[in-house]
Amino acid sequence: MRIAVRVRPGAAADRVGGRWDGPRGPALLVAVRARAVEGAANAAVVAALAAAFALPRSAVAIAVGGRGRDKLVHLDGDPEALAARLTALLATSHG
């Protein structure tokens, strides 16, 4: 399954949750402490999403947008479980 995410690097804490309505439609917010330097933020995004969706890191891959804040991420797992978790995460408050 592919999901759209909006990344906020340099955050106070790693968090996954909330919705960002961007030009391409709704995206899941992912805040990471890592800065966007030498792939650190992308690695943190993969780790945060793997934890949020209860997947191994190997099941999460950035498909599009490796150099930007807006990304398409591929999640390899049960589509129904992933969709349910995505719905819950989009509805959470992201402070």
Side-chain angles (χ1 to χ4, degrees):
M1 143 181 243
R2 279 198 178 179
I3 63 168
V5 299
R6 172 72 172 191
V7 178
R8 292 184 175 162
D14 292 347
R15 287 192 218 159
V16 178
R19 177 183 169 133
W20 184 77
D21 291 316
R24 296 182 192 146
L28 178 64
L29 288 171
V30 180
V32 293
R33 289 177 292 208
R35 299 272 178 199
V37 178
E38 297 181 9
N42 284 341
V45 167
V46 168
L49 287 171
F53 284 90
L55 295 170
R57 288 184 189 186
S58 61
V60 180
I62 296 172
V64 177
R67 293 184 166 219
R69 290 179 184 233
D70 297 314
K71 303 179 186 303
L72 280 178
V73 177
H74 178 78
L75 305 174
D76 188 17
D78 175 47
E80 289 181 18
L82 294 175
R85 183 68 179 138
L86 177 61
T87 299
L89 287 169
L90 286 169
T92 61
S93 174
H94 191 1

